[in-house]
Amino acid sequence: MTIKFTQDHEYIRVEGQTGIVGITAYAQEQLGDIVFVELPAVGKKVKKGDETAVVESVKAASEIYAPVGGTVEAANEALGAEPGMVNQDPMGTGWMYQIHIENPAELDGLMDEAAYADFIK
Amino acid sequence: MADTSPQDLKTVPLNDVHVALGGRMVPFGGYSLPVQYPTGIVTEHKWTREHAGLFDVSHMGPSFLLLNEKSGGADADHAAIAAVVEPLICGDVKGLKPGQIRYTLLLNETGGALDDLMIARPADPAWAGSLYVVVNAGTKDADFARIAAASTGKATLNRADNCALLALQGPEAVAVLSKLIPEVADLGFMTYRSFPWNGTVLVIARSGYTGEDGFEILVEPEHAKAFWDALTADERVKPIGLGARDSLRLEAGLPLYGHDLDETISPTEAGLNFAVSKRRREAADFPGAGRILKEYGGELARIRVGLLVDGAPAREGAEILDASGAVIGVVTSGGFSPTLGRAIALGFVPPAYAAVGTKLSVSVRGRSQSAEVAALPFVPHRYYRKPV
């Protein structure tokens, strides 16, 4: 299992052909209290960099972009009732959606954990 | 404002305190101020509704307008200073009782709002012939210039915006502040007085912009830290950032200048008829009286409403649609209400759509979401009403 990061502060946790996407601890910290999450429809096909979700804090809305292309396999519907899970556990229960990765080579352009830690310094 | 680079930002007297507390500093009206502290906006918002929140609003524009030559008669001097500012605004300043504060608007010739502001008459007869005036941050230089120009030869405007202006808001505010200054418990809503405290003088108004009981306190900069420390030593008080101030005032249904009010919007359109005083209406002697009195009579193109929004928050700029999908208005302030746990907004629509319960929709990221016109305020005001 590997985890990769974008410069827009999304993570993708790769489990075989599936990637679990969300925002990083750093990103939720920057956004503050998250009060609403808009998720992509299951079955939606997206390209790397497409807007796939929106997280809203009290102050503002922020777009979440697809780290890689593929088909949305699942969305974390629990966030509808409890958007605050993104703040509490962004890399765990606060995940946003799962994507069937079309082209695993796209993962190579993303940062690994050490590179991301350096990026947000 | 948004384009101000950090090095252009002015700092407030309590800047170091906010930084030490972990405040996230962002630009507000040309000043660097905390949008939130580490606990976050929702927690801070709820704390203020339940206890007492302490806000630094030193970016705003407190000032004192003083008559150049006093006659010695308190009422005559008050009437003279009122006559200096009344030509700029729609409020009755002359009719203020000693110690009373009035919310009013500075208007242009077409009745559009140049700013909304507080004007107050001192309680102490020795200070008759002066006014305490507090304007908004973003407009303060223009406001002060306008007031000073209208005062030429008659009165002098002294800015006090080097001071700290703090707002202590919430149901426990009076208990906290009266521990330091017992007499503040006697202040009625929208009245103010000066009080000696710890070697300085505090100007304390029972007012605020959260919908809660509370106080706005002007403190000389060198005493600001001691006063902040005295308040925050009380466990009922927590520092609150300007992010929660905005969500609190939105729930309170109060307009924010530059968003729900601008120089095209009249007080009548903004739903602020109470701010167009009866005496001034009868005299029709304020800027834009022609337009505003017509609007008062019912000829209104648009009016400010509250909206309960289903789903994602509808932010400023979101279009408001009627049942057929036609665009009828725009959201001017919108966000999430921590008290109601849902999205709320303020916006302008034609009066035909303004009745409470009218079903409308808002366009958020190209999608239509249902919305309903709601009574304002969204969350009931809890201002202190002094027993008679």
Side-chain angles (χ1 to χ4, degrees), chain A residues 3-97:
Chain A
I3 185 158
K4 296 276 195 159
F5 299 86
T6 71
Q7 296 198 348
D8 297 314
H9 309 287
E10 292 98 2
Y11 68 82
I12 179 165
R13 187 187 303 277
V14 183
E15 295 176 354
Q17 283 282 41
T18 295
I20 299 167
V21 178
I23 62 169
T24 65
Y26 174 83
Q28 69 77 24
E29 166 71 28
Q30 292 299 306
L31 290 170
D33 294 311
I34 289 163
V35 295
F36 190 88
V37 183
E38 193 172 291
L39 297 166
V42 173
K44 184 179 178 175
K45 285 189 193 309
V46 298
K47 293 194 295 292
K48 180 183 167 94
D50 280 358
E51 185 183 314
T52 42
V54 179
V55 289
E56 304 231 16
S57 67
V58 181
K59 291 295 287 174
S62 308
E63 294 79 25
I64 305 303
Y65 304 100
V68 297
T71 305
V72 176
E73 285 181 325
N76 187 358
E77 301 298 343
L79 297 181
E82 270 191 80
M85 288 196 299
V86 178
N87 292 117
Q88 288 144 24
D89 191 11
M91 317 258 302
T93 57
W95 65 277
M96 292 182 185
Y97 62 92

Side-chain angles (χ1 to χ4, degrees), chain B:
Chain B
M1 247 188 281
D3 295 324
T4 310
S5 65
Q7 56 268 37
D8 294 336
L9 292 174
K10 287 179 263 193
T11 53
V12 296
L14 291 166
N15 183 67
D16 293 351
V17 172
H18 303 311
V19 171
L21 287 168
R24 184 175 297 166
M25 307 302 283
V26 304
F28 277 95
Y31 288 78
S32 178
L33 281 164
V35 65
Q36 63 166 86
Y37 297 92
T39 48
I41 294 175
V42 171
T43 305
E44 293 172 20
H45 180 114
K46 290 181 171 169
W47 184 270
T48 304
R49 288 260 181 261
E50 289 163 16
H51 305 283
L54 182 59
F55 305 75
D56 190 340
V57 291
S58 302
H59 57 317
M60 294 186 66
S63 65
F64 295 91
L65 189 64
L66 302 123
L67 208 58
N68 289 345
E69 285 175 44
K70 301 221 286 181
S71 71
D75 286 340
D77 285 339
H78 176 67
I81 194 72
V84 172
V85 292
E86 283 193 352
L88 305 177
I89 62 170
C90 54
D92 176 6
V93 174
K94 187 174 170 229
L96 287 174
K97 297 184 187 78
Q100 192 183 5
I101 305 167
R102 182 150 285 155
Y103 171 83
T104 187
L105 295 106
L106 199 58
L107 299 172
N108 62 25
E109 284 310 307
T110 54
L114 294 167
D115 198 8
D116 60 342
L117 66 162
M118 298 287 195
I119 297 186
R121 174 180 179 173
D124 184 346
W127 282 93
S130 70
L131 296 171
Y132 177 41
V133 178
V134 184
V135 303
N136 275 303
T139 50
K140 71 180 173 184
D141 290 334
D143 290 359
F144 286 152
R146 198 172 180 87
I147 296 168
S151 308
T152 307
K154 294 173 273 186
T156 305
L157 182 81
N158 292 327
R159 294 174 70 139
D161 58 333
N162 64 317
C163 293
L165 187 63
L166 302 178
L168 183 69
Q169 299 278 296
E172 293 179 337
V174 63
V176 170
L177 190 58
S178 59
K179 263 186 14 187
L180 303 182
I181 302 160
E183 298 82 4
V184 298
D186 299 328
L187 285 174
F189 179 57
M190 292 296 272
T191 69
Y192 91 107
R193 273 178 56 194
S194 297
F195 298 90
W197 179 80
N198 219 15
T200 186
V201 173
L202 306 173
V203 177
I204 302 184
R206 196 153 194 174
S207 61
Y209 230 56
T210 60
E212 297 295 328
D213 183 23
F215 302 87
E216 291 175 309
I217 307 132
L218 185 70
V219 195
E220 290 181 304
E222 57 274 27
H223 296 275
K225 171 99 174 34
F227 183 63
W228 174 280
D229 289 346
L231 289 176
T232 54
D234 191 310
E235 61 183 16
R236 293 169 290 189
V237 177
K238 290 215 185 303
I240 308 295
L242 296 182
R245 185 170 188 259
D246 192 50
S247 53
L248 289 157
R249 76 90 202 162
L250 180 60
E251 287 184 349
L254 302 171
L256 182 62
Y257 195 82
H259 302 266
D260 315 295
L261 273 175
D262 64 34
E263 56 190 56
T264 72
I265 298 170
S266 71
T268 328
E269 290 177 325
L272 302 171
N273 278 348
F274 72 91
V276 188
S277 299
K278 186 160 179 268
R279 179 175 67 78
R280 305 297 309 277
R281 278 204 312 276
E282 286 169 356
D285 64 348
F286 53 90
R291 169 190 175 185
I292 290 171
L293 293 174
K294 236 185 259 173
E295 290 176 346
Y296 222 95
E299 284 182 52
L300 206 53
R302 56 182 174 174
I303 189 156
R304 185 167 66 96
V305 294
L307 296 171
L308 288 169
V309 175
D310 288 338
R315 310 280 178 181
E316 182 176 0
E319 289 174 332
I320 304 172
L321 317 170
D322 70 7
S324 74
V327 176
I328 55 160
V330 68
V331 168
T332 49
S333 279
F336 179 80
S337 162
T339 303
L340 303 179
R342 60 174 305 168
I344 57 173
L346 298 175
F348 284 81
V349 296
Y353 298 93
V356 170
T358 305
K359 306 277 187 212
L360 299 171
S361 55
V362 288
S363 177
V364 177
R365 292 182 284 278
R367 270 208 308 273
S368 171
Q369 293 177 199
S370 48
E372 184 178 315
V373 177
L376 292 176
F378 294 104
V379 173
H381 291 164
R382 297 196 292 181
Y383 302 133
Y384 172 67
R385 299 293 170 193
K386 200 173 179 175
V388 241

